[in-house]
Amino acid sequence: MSDQLSDVDLVSYVEDAKADAIHAFNVLGKNGTLSASLTFHVTHHISGHDKLLHIRFPGGLARDQSPTIAITKFSDQKDHILHETRLDADTVIHAHTNFLSAWSLAHKPFPILYVAAARHLAAREIPNHLDRTRSVYDTIKERLDKHPELAPPPALLESNGGANFWGKGITKTSELILFIEEAARYQAIAEQIGGAQVYTPGALEVQWKRTGLLEKAKAFTGRYLADIT
């Protein structure tokens, strides 16, 4: 798709994005990834346009779970997380999931120790947004500035709430939510038998090779050398 969309193409683009969001919402709701509140709000930057597409699901006990659609100007929201180019993201999804939300309540960062999630991510940890008086953008910008040796996180836990996830495209970002929540679930179960353990030597290298992320992972020295040497 070209960088610039005609008015007709833009309508089609929004309809496709809406269909992707509905599919993701339905799947994540049915498989237990989303919590009972069904909180799932999508914001997508339309490439080549000064437009943010907002797709918001009512959640809860609403009889009609059809989303509302709104479009705002990207340039008007200076502190939006999608302005952080180091994340290489065009989509952010705010969601409440069952097990990852427990980490947000504990005010702890979430270590990614489950290979089904790890193989898709260079990052090893999701930080917790403890100071909610600061924006997600400022919080992540500060982390990236202070810790360039760490890969950019794929999400930010919302202390005492859910989380904000980001990535490329609505479907891929939603799939990331599925993998990360699955990691949180199994790591919680593992706590009953001694706790989730760090990867054995070489394990991450094998996983990153499968998804083509090995060289990207090697570019970040923090918390990686023991895993890929």
Side-chain angles (χ1 to χ4, degrees):
M1 186 176 291
S2 64
D3 288 341
Q4 293 293 332
L5 299 170
S6 68
D7 289 342
V8 173
D9 289 336
L10 184 59
V11 171
S12 178
Y13 187 100
V14 170
E15 285 300 310
D16 288 344
K18 178 182 175 182
D20 287 343
I22 291 173
H23 173 67
F25 173 78
N26 288 337
V27 171
L28 296 182
K30 288 178 180 177
N31 67 21
T33 296
L34 296 181
S35 67
S37 66
L38 297 176
T39 301
F40 190 74
H41 308 316
V42 178
T43 302
H44 175 73
H45 179 216
I46 301 175
S47 178
H49 293 262
D50 184 23
K51 297 181 185 297
L52 282 178
L53 171 63
H54 306 271
I55 306 173
R56 187 181 182 94
F57 290 83
L61 291 178
R63 293 181 183 275
D64 184 358
Q65 290 291 344
S66 299
T68 58
I69 307 295
I71 296 178
T72 60
K73 290 184 66 175
F74 188 34
S75 59
D76 284 345
Q77 300 178 55
K78 303 297 185 185
D79 65 345
H80 199 282
I81 187 61
L82 293 179
H83 282 294
E84 179 47 77
T85 58
R86 287 172 289 185
L87 297 179
D88 190 28
D90 61 15
T91 302
V92 60
I93 299 176
H94 177 71
H96 287 201
T97 64
N98 292 296
F99 287 86
L100 197 61
S101 292
W103 286 83
S104 75
L105 286 165
H107 287 196
K108 294 181 178 180
F110 175 66
I112 303 167
L113 297 173
Y114 178 55
V115 293
R119 69 170 62 104
H120 298 285
L121 299 166
R124 297 293 306 283
E125 179 184 271
I126 299 175
N128 209 311
H129 187 184
L130 298 178
D131 185 358
R132 296 285 294 280
T133 65
R134 302 181 65 207
S135 69
V136 173
Y137 175 78
D138 285 340
T139 302
I140 289 298
K141 183 178 184 298
E142 180 181 68
R143 178 183 173 88
L144 296 177
D145 289 344
K146 285 187 174 180
H147 298 288
E149 78 281 7
L150 299 178
L156 183 65
L157 302 181
E158 179 188 60
S159 69
N160 298 80
N164 292 293
F165 306 82
W166 44 77
K168 281 286 191 181
I170 294 171
T171 299
K172 286 294 185 183
T173 305
S174 299
E175 187 176 55
L176 191 61
I177 295 172
L178 186 153
F179 289 140
I180 293 173
E181 170 60 17
E182 189 169 270
R185 178 188 179 201
Y186 287 131
Q187 288 176 221
I189 295 171
E191 286 299 309
Q192 302 172 54
I193 50 176
Q197 304 299 303
V198 298
Y199 303 97
T200 55
L204 272 178
E205 182 174 2
V206 170
Q207 296 301 320
W208 283 328
K209 281 181 178 178
R210 291 177 178 176
T211 53
L213 283 179
L214 182 59
E215 294 307 313
K216 180 178 180 180
K218 284 182 175 180
F220 299 99
T221 58
R223 304 182 194 174
Y224 288 93
L225 294 182
D227 298 313
I228 60 177
T229 58

